[in-house]
Amino acid sequence: MADLEIEDIQWFHQLTLKDGRVTQGLVDMARHEHLYLFDRLELQGKSLLDIGCWDGYFSFMAEQRGARRVVSLDNPDFRWGGLDGYNFLHRHFESRAEWRRGSIYDLPDERFDIVLCYGVLYHLNDPLSAMINSFHAALEEVVFEGLIYEDRQPTLFLLAPKELDGDPTNLYTMSTAYVEKVAAMCGFELVDSQMRHYASTALRRSLRKSQPRTDRAAMRFRRVAELTPAYKESCFSVAPKGLLKARGQ
């Protein structure tokens, strides 16, 4: 099949190509990198796993900023757009990034310096196993971004089908304390965060209650110990790979 042109692709990521053209994605990723804490990562010489890579913006930018190896993981069967955008950009940037069809519940049998998990957790029916897998796969850092609300209690907020934006794949939001608690059980500590504040002034933000249905955040964690949560595999709908490895299964 002939290569598709930029106009023929259903894009999610908006980015500028080498020739100045701009892909017609939903989000201008270059302008919003700070919302994902991506602009604060030291990528030179690092290996990186991009979970839920979609068109591959973060994979290709990590490569261009010095990452020595990038693995892009996704399953295009569960989203619109397919692989057209990723394949186009891979050719356009003459990339060496490795695309793999896969699931956060069955990550590659290797570990990476940095793991990115952007816009994934709130689409999952078992976010705990997914987070444990992500932490286990990381040697140094993990960054999560998604529907995360600020709260001191480690809570999940269940969404009914189509309750949020009419999207039946939105299942859970979670509190910042929930993410931090799972991180601590996996040997990670919080080093950076970016909350999306929609109130217009500092006073209004200080008075604003957290919104479990809509708030978004990015949270960056760094490994401080090699830990595995003391759960039994039978507690999970999908057994985390890290637990199985720790028990020699």
Side-chain angles (χ1 to χ4, degrees):
M1 185 177 73
D3 294 342
L4 293 175
E5 296 296 328
I6 183 175
E7 298 82 7
D8 301 323
I9 296 172
Q10 190 175 8
W11 295 97
F12 180 72
H13 289 156
Q14 182 183 134
L15 75 162
T16 303
L17 303 178
K18 293 186 293 184
D19 55 13
R21 292 180 297 166
V22 178
T23 62
Q24 298 303 304
L26 299 179
V27 182
D28 184 346
M29 301 309 300
R31 290 183 56 243
H32 292 90
E33 283 189 3
H34 65 287
L35 297 178
Y36 298 82
L37 301 175
F38 185 72
D39 58 332
R40 305 184 192 182
L41 293 175
E42 176 51 60
L43 297 165
Q44 186 67 42
K46 302 294 186 180
S47 61
L48 180 139
L49 175 63
D50 183 7
I51 301 173
C53 65
W54 207 288
D55 294 333
Y57 175 88
F58 296 106
S59 292
F60 300 125
M61 292 304 106
E63 185 179 44
Q64 292 178 26
R65 295 174 197 181
R68 63 176 172 81
R69 180 168 180 247
V70 174
V71 173
S72 312
L73 184 137
D74 211 333
N75 188 338
D77 293 343
F78 295 104
R79 57 173 175 77
W80 49 261
L83 267 177
D84 294 338
Y86 185 92
N87 288 336
F88 179 96
L89 295 176
H90 198 279
R91 292 190 300 269
H92 178 81
F93 291 121
E94 300 178 333
S95 173
R96 294 180 293 106
E98 306 165 35
W99 186 86
R100 297 190 188 179
R101 178 185 293 269
S103 164
I104 196 169
Y105 298 118
D106 187 22
L107 296 179
D109 193 18
E110 56 183 301
R111 302 178 86 181
F112 301 82
D113 295 321
I114 299 171
V115 172
L116 305 181
C117 185
Y118 293 152
V120 173
L121 294 179
Y122 56 93
H123 296 299
L124 307 176
N125 65 349
D126 187 359
L128 178 57
S129 293
M131 292 174 66
I132 292 172
N133 281 351
S134 300
F135 283 122
H136 176 77
L139 294 170
E140 297 179 7
E141 294 187 84
V142 177
V143 189
F144 293 109
E145 187 280 338
L147 292 172
I148 301 171
Y149 53 94
E150 198 161 18
D151 197 289
R152 294 181 180 179
Q153 296 299 316
T155 54
L156 288 176
F157 184 89
L158 176 64
L159 297 167
K162 298 185 179 182
E163 179 180 344
L164 181 60
D165 299 330
D167 187 345
T169 72
N170 294 329
L171 302 180
Y172 281 106
T173 69
M174 60 192 65
S175 69
T176 50
Y178 181 91
V179 184
E180 287 189 63
K181 188 168 186 176
V182 179
M185 291 189 295
C186 295
F188 284 78
E189 66 177 6
L190 181 68
V191 295
D192 208 351
S193 63
Q194 174 69 54
M195 299 295 302
R196 300 196 189 183
H197 295 294
Y198 298 101
S200 59
T201 67
L203 176 59
R204 288 179 180 176
R205 287 195 294 270
S206 68
L207 298 175
R208 178 181 179 274
K209 295 181 180 179
S210 62
Q211 301 291 321
R213 291 180 66 257
T214 57
D215 279 5
R216 295 189 76 102
M219 303 179 72
R220 177 185 172 194
F221 297 90
R222 182 171 298 147
R223 183 176 289 281
V224 293
E226 191 71 33
L227 298 178
T228 300
Y231 291 122
K232 293 184 179 296
E233 295 88 322
S234 59
C235 294
F236 295 87
S237 60
V238 179
K241 293 185 71 174
L243 296 184
L244 297 177
K245 286 181 175 296
R247 291 163 174 77
Q249 298 184 25

